[in-house]
Amino acid sequence: MATDIKDTACAVDAAAVMRLLPARPRLLALGEPTHGEDTLLELRNELFRELVEQEGYRTVAIESDCVTGLVVDDYVTSGTGTLDEVMERGFSHGWGAFAANRELVRWMRAHNDGRPASERVRFAGFDGPLEITGAASPRHALTALHDYLSTRIDASLLPCTGETLDRLLGADGRWTDPAAMRDPARSVGQSAEAGRLRLLADDLVALLDAQTPHLLATASRDDWDRARLHGRTATGLLRYHHWMADTSPARMTWLVSVRDQMMAHNLLALAARGPALVHAHNSHLQREKSTMRMGGRPVEWWSAGALVSAQLGDEYAFVATALGTIRHQGVDTPPPNTVEGLLYALSEDRCVIDAPRLAAALGGALPAPRVSPWFGYSPLDPAHLADPDGIVFVKDVPPSPAAGRS
């Protein structure tokens, strides 16, 4: 059996990843089982550079705020701003503090310098403006969409004025109160004003769709794409806030589902634009249901990857990352009867695994699930070993200068 397992592994590079797939997918997603490790981000950078240069991918999307990500895209495509400003303003969840993310942005800008627009690599965040502690006010997304429409179409078609939006939104602090995550009564998401805003956001998005031929004839597609992003974000945030105010047992399921649905909508929009590379936690990209316990309750939902895969089929590919050790977090050598333990016995420090072949090599001998002593690391689920198109295995993850990730 050891020989069979070894035969499923090869060195990590773009060619090895592409050999796992029948054709180049429109979305190629690389997951990670933990956040905040520069070793994994550096490996992502190496693979993504090769896939851009060898396979023609033209967008790099990461698990960061889709709206602030526009700041990064402006910088890498046209040099707007400075690298320091972009790393501070263009990322959410503390991602801008990581050296490997800074190197990714620096490389993208250098790669694009002097190239025609059709050959430039774009950057995208595909997460919503959401944190574990709460969600952003819908103000920015709603007003950006309204401003776009109000300068391009007859004012009589608009469902409201900017002043009406401002009045209904009120102070942003009402929306961003972190206490609302634990206490639904602190949320404004089911107030009369929030209900009115949901209807107005829906009408503004409908108006954007209805006026598409005119808008594309009179302004750039990039501006239209950004207006659609603001529309998706506004409606998603208002739905998220609505469920933050809910008191039913379904509250947390709705919250995590809405977040991944927002991610999925952003990924489908990127796929419509052209081939894109995606990086996020395995749980957001996998095809099977995601699960966790929150507040003592089990929560299950379909990830962004599952939603996208259901629509794109073979045009979506997912390569999970698995780890041997993260000793600085108390994750030591994996037990030999786990998937990670079997892979840890291989001689390579890093390798690409053909996941379906590995599952076949193991036959009916399902490995034991690995139990992580640290909440921040999610081992592979042996029951779903054949679900990803491949696995990148990293034997040991050393400590790195870390920044926060919520």
Side-chain angles (χ1 to χ4, degrees):
M1 178 164 301
T3 302
D4 290 338
I5 292 174
K6 185 176 181 180
D7 289 345
T8 69
C10 58
V12 179
D13 59 25
V17 171
M18 297 308 294
R19 282 196 297 271
L20 300 173
L21 310 172
R24 184 186 73 173
R26 187 166 285 268
L27 287 180
L28 175 51
L30 174 67
E32 61 177 5
T34 185
H35 283 315
E37 298 296 340
D38 270 323
T39 296
L40 302 186
L41 299 179
E42 289 162 2
L43 178 60
R44 173 206 65 189
N45 288 356
E46 293 168 16
L47 270 178
F48 280 11
R49 279 196 295 266
E50 292 179 6
L51 288 162
V52 165
E53 293 167 354
Q54 299 171 21
E55 300 295 334
Y57 282 93
R58 290 290 176 265
T59 297
V60 171
I62 75 167
E63 187 185 337
S64 185
D65 183 338
C66 58
V67 175
T68 60
L70 299 175
V71 173
V72 186
D73 189 48
D74 285 341
Y75 175 77
V76 300
T77 55
S78 60
T80 303
T82 68
L83 182 56
D84 285 343
E85 293 168 347
V86 167
M87 299 311 297
E88 182 177 350
R89 296 175 46 233
F91 292 86
S92 62
H93 301 87
W95 279 129
F98 286 90
N101 285 335
R102 185 182 184 90
E103 175 56 25
L104 174 67
V105 174
R106 188 208 62 76
W107 172 78
M108 292 177 72
R109 178 67 201 125
H111 175 88
N112 287 336
D113 193 25
R115 292 179 186 267
S118 61
E119 296 179 12
R120 293 174 194 156
V121 182
R122 306 286 298 271
F123 178 91
F126 72 95
D127 201 353
L130 306 168
E131 303 276 353
I132 288 176
T133 54
S137 164
R139 177 184 302 279
H140 177 81
L142 263 179
T143 55
L145 174 59
H146 188 276
D147 290 349
Y148 172 85
L149 291 170
S150 65
T151 58
R152 291 168 173 84
I153 63 172
D154 191 320
S156 65
L157 294 174
L158 293 168
C160 66
T161 64
E163 291 75 15
T164 297
L165 286 181
D166 188 61
R167 175 177 56 80
L168 292 170
L169 286 161
D172 284 346
R174 299 191 315 147
W175 299 91
T176 58
D177 181 0
M181 181 53 75
R182 294 189 178 275
D183 181 3
R186 297 289 295 270
S187 172
V188 298
Q190 292 188 17
S191 65
E193 294 86 353
R196 177 66 177 149
L197 285 167
R198 288 187 78 183
L199 292 173
L200 291 173
D202 184 69
D203 281 344
L204 287 168
V205 171
L207 184 59
L208 176 66
D209 289 344
Q211 294 293 317
T212 292
H214 166 72
L215 294 168
L216 289 179
T218 56
S220 73
R221 179 169 285 270
D222 272 356
D223 287 345
W224 179 76
D225 278 339
R226 291 190 173 198
R228 292 178 69 220
L229 182 150
H230 285 126
R232 292 192 302 274
T233 303
T235 55
L237 279 174
L238 286 164
R239 183 174 295 112
Y240 193 89
H241 281 287
H242 174 89
W243 285 102
M244 282 185 72
D246 188 68
T247 58
S248 77
R251 179 178 185 262
M252 289 311 304
T253 300
W254 265 102
L255 290 176
V256 293
S257 297
V258 169
R259 181 188 180 194
D260 268 87
Q261 187 180 50
M262 291 175 72
M263 289 183 172
H265 290 165
N266 286 330
L267 289 177
L268 289 169
L270 293 175
R273 192 171 74 185
L277 300 166
V278 183
H279 187 253
H281 197 281
N282 287 335
S283 64
H284 289 305
L285 301 175
Q286 64 194 28
R287 292 186 176 94
E288 69 267 22
K289 261 191 171 180
S290 297
T291 62
M292 65 178 174
R293 295 189 69 84
M294 297 190 72
R297 294 175 178 267
V299 179
E300 293 186 353
W301 74 102
W302 292 107
S303 73
L307 297 173
V308 169
S309 181
Q311 293 206 40
L312 295 185
D314 289 344
E315 291 287 341
Y316 176 76
F318 167 50
V319 177
T321 297
L323 305 176
T325 72
I326 323 172
R327 298 190 194 279
H328 55 284
Q329 298 290 5
V331 181
D332 292 321
T333 304
N337 62 336
T338 63
V339 176
E340 288 85 355
L342 293 169
L343 298 178
Y344 198 80
L346 299 175
S347 59
E348 295 87 352
D349 289 332
R350 299 176 177 183
C351 56
V352 172
I353 308 293
D354 185 324
R357 283 188 65 202
L358 174 61
L362 295 175
L366 195 67
R370 186 182 191 185
V371 178
S372 173
W374 177 49
F375 73 94
Y377 160 63
S378 301
L380 290 175
D381 182 350
H384 293 281
L385 184 57
D387 287 2
D389 298 282
I391 299 168
V392 172
F393 182 71
V394 179
K395 182 170 281 190
D396 299 294
V397 177
S400 59
R405 175 72 169 105
S406 62

